[in-house]
Amino acid sequence: MAVDISSHPLIEFRTVTKVYGSGEAEVRALAGVDLLVERGAFVAIMGPSGSGKSTAMNIMGCLDVPSSGEYLFQGVPTRELDQDERALLRRHMLGFVFQGFNLLARTTAIENVALPLIYRGMPEDERRRRSLHALEQVGLADRAQHTPAKLSGGQQQRVAIARAIVTSPIVLLADEPTGNLDTSISREIMNIITRLNRDEGLTVIMVTHEEDIAAYARRVIRFVDGKIESDRQQEPAGVL
């Protein structure tokens, strides 16, 4: 029977645990987490080092799997997916932005953005059109032919965001997206991410340790010792 995705949360954790090691070396990164994220949400995940926030994001991104419990994506239990199917989910449904920009040094901005489309086997003309549109969305169409060495840190992160959204994902997973940037550039990046959420309907889940960055989200979840300590809604910071 087909799953009616419209009737399910976008992301759901059901008593998810994640354990690394065994015996005296055992580390319980997640200790029975229940969590729902609806479509169109903008969620900031916070917590001290070792709290489980990055482990939770890795599971959401199908980069890791729970030790027990269930992770459902659009109502589908991801434990039923094999490795290739999880890769397809990442490729078609998820976009990733990391603290390190992870751009190819000798490749132009537009070529970096086009990489996920190459993996899809998309024709070159269509790749170029979509990649240029993604760069326009982050205000970098005029830097399309620049290599990373000719771009500032903020511009490099904008290219990384363009690469994450060029496949039209439904979720953007951002892990410390402003961690390498100064305050003014961080605001620029967060304004872009906020516009993508507000205007494009992109669901955003962001790990951050910075309160001023979490202020852009509409929901803040705090992890402590592998559990959710608090989960609250808030009025987000405005887009400039």
Side-chain angles (χ1 to χ4, degrees):
M1 179 182 297
V3 174
D4 178 10
I5 62 175
S6 65
S7 65
H8 293 274
L10 180 59
I11 284 172
E12 181 175 4
F13 278 16
R14 295 179 179 173
T15 321
V16 167
T17 72
K18 184 63 184 181
V19 178
Y20 298 102
S22 60
E24 293 183 0
E26 180 179 292
V27 175
R28 187 168 292 269
L30 294 177
V33 172
D34 293 300
L35 175 64
L36 298 176
V37 177
E38 302 291 348
R39 292 166 182 78
F42 188 165
V43 181
I45 298 178
M46 305 190 75
S49 178
S51 63
K53 60 185 187 297
S54 293
T55 300
M57 174 164 281
N58 287 340
I59 291 174
M60 291 179 193
C62 289
L63 301 172
D64 205 346
V65 296
S67 299
S68 66
E70 277 198 313
Y71 167 37
L72 292 84
F73 187 87
Q74 297 193 123
V76 176
T78 56
R79 60 177 168 77
E80 297 180 0
L81 305 178
D82 62 26
Q83 186 172 345
D84 290 340
E85 289 169 330
R86 287 197 299 273
L88 285 172
L89 190 155
R90 289 194 299 271
R91 190 178 302 170
H92 291 275
M93 299 290 186
L94 308 176
F96 296 88
V97 177
F98 301 100
Q99 180 174 346
F101 315 128
N102 297 337
L103 302 178
L104 298 182
R106 299 182 181 180
T107 302
T108 64
I110 194 168
E111 290 168 338
N112 268 288
V113 173
L115 282 173
L117 304 179
I118 293 174
Y119 299 143
R120 286 191 178 186
M122 188 174 289
E124 183 177 357
D125 288 350
E126 180 67 6
R127 291 201 309 266
R128 181 173 180 79
R129 184 190 68 79
R130 292 185 62 166
S131 298
L132 187 58
H133 176 65
L135 285 170
E136 288 171 352
Q137 287 180 282
V138 300
L140 275 185
D142 61 341
R143 299 288 191 272
Q145 298 304 323
H146 287 55
T147 60
K150 296 180 179 179
L151 299 172
S152 68
Q155 289 171 334
Q156 290 184 57
Q157 189 64 299
R158 285 199 248 170
V159 173
I161 293 171
R163 182 182 57 195
I165 65 174
V166 73
T167 57
S168 300
I170 60 176
V171 182
L172 180 68
L173 297 167
D175 191 356
E176 301 282 4
T178 61
N180 287 335
L181 306 174
D182 64 29
T183 301
S184 63
I185 302 302
S186 294
R187 289 196 198 101
E188 292 179 11
I189 295 302
M190 291 313 303
N191 285 338
I192 289 170
I193 291 174
T194 299
R195 289 190 186 101
L196 291 169
N197 171 255
R198 184 192 65 189
D199 300 339
E200 307 292 334
L202 183 63
T203 302
V204 177
I205 302 173
M206 173 182 67
V207 166
T208 182
H209 67 277
E210 300 174 80
E211 295 286 350
D212 58 335
I213 298 302
Y216 286 83
R218 287 183 274 125
R219 178 182 175 192
V220 178
I221 300 172
R222 294 182 186 273
F223 277 75
V224 174
D225 296 332
K227 298 180 180 180
I228 293 177
E229 179 189 51
S230 64
D231 184 347
R232 63 178 176 84
Q233 302 289 329
Q234 66 180 14
E235 187 67 28
V239 176
L240 301 177

